[in-house]
Amino acid sequence: MRKSLILNSINHTLKLNKNKYESEMQVRPDDIDMFRHVHSSRYIDYVLAARYDQMGRCYGMPMEEFLQNGFGWVIVSTHMEFKRPLKLGDYFVVSTQLVHFEKHTAKVDFEILKKEGMKLCCTGHFDYTMIDMATGRAAALPDWIIERYSLPE
């Protein structure tokens, strides 16, 4: 029996963990487009890589645990505002913040800053939907996941 069926009585007054977490990365040669800066599509990859890192390191619940319990996250929409380019070899920091959970969705805000001078390069948000891996359909967030992404009382 999956954990989602086990816990139904979690106190729903838990405070969602809205801390900002950071992951440091470096621009690679295959990130560069014909204008000699990072292609816009790579910024999505950067946020996804940061979330993958932070799910395990900062929340104590890696993506593998979701998968083992039959769940996964898919992007429903994203909004990005580009402020300045990243270029080959630049080090940068991706900070993300879980803004809220709803029935089967999560909203995550992000910022990407060039490490030198901590200048903002891109900001925005991602809307994710949790899916049941067996059906491919949206799945309600189980109480045990909400609890893991909440701050201790």
Side-chain angles (χ1 to χ4, degrees), residues 88-99:
L88 183 62
D90 285 346
Y91 285 91
F92 59 96
V93 175
V94 180
S95 75
T96 72
Q97 177 182 28
L98 182 58
V99 177

Side-chain angles (χ1 to χ4, degrees), residues 2-151:
R2 288 198 325 221
K3 290 181 185 178
S4 63
L5 303 176
I6 297 170
L7 295 175
N8 283 331
S9 60
I10 297 291
N11 179 353
H12 288 285
T13 61
L14 293 171
K15 183 178 178 184
L16 187 62
N17 182 347
K18 294 186 177 184
N19 292 330
K20 281 188 179 182
Y21 295 109
E22 296 181 347
S23 299
E24 186 176 318
M25 298 177 207
Q26 184 179 23
V27 175
R28 299 169 13 142
D30 56 328
D31 297 339
I32 303 301
D33 65 13
M34 65 183 171
F35 301 111
R36 297 187 187 155
H37 58 64
V38 172
H39 189 271
S40 58
S41 66
R42 290 299 195 181
Y43 289 81
I44 293 173
D45 295 336
Y46 295 160
V47 174
L48 290 175
R51 287 303 295 166
Y52 181 85
D53 165 51
Q54 295 163 10
M55 287 170 73
R57 182 173 54 84
C58 304
Y59 294 97
M61 187 170 180
M63 187 63 191
E64 292 81 5
E65 188 171 345
F66 282 95
L67 297 173
Q68 290 167 356
N69 285 283
F71 296 110
W73 290 102
V74 296
I75 298 170
V76 174
S77 66
T78 186
H79 174 80
M80 302 178 131
E81 294 180 26
F82 298 95
K83 307 294 184 183
R84 62 182 42 84
L86 285 169
K87 297 184 178 180
L88 183 62
D90 285 346
Y91 285 91
F92 59 96
V93 175
V94 180
S95 75
T96 72
Q97 177 182 28
L98 182 58
V99 177
H100 64 78
F101 278 146
E102 288 187 15
K103 181 179 178 182
H104 50 71
T105 63
K107 181 175 184 173
V108 176
D109 285 348
F110 75 91
E111 291 181 330
I112 299 175
L113 298 103
K114 187 173 180 179
K115 190 167 180 189
E116 183 182 328
M118 294 305 280
K119 299 244 181 183
L120 186 62
C121 295
C122 186
T123 186
H125 68 267
F126 280 61
D127 295 310
Y128 296 93
T129 293
M130 174 170 277
I131 60 164
D132 180 316
M133 297 295 287
T135 65
R137 296 189 180 273
L141 288 159
D143 289 338
W144 64 272
I145 291 176
I146 294 169
E147 182 179 75
R148 296 279 293 276
Y149 279 78
S150 296
L151 295 170

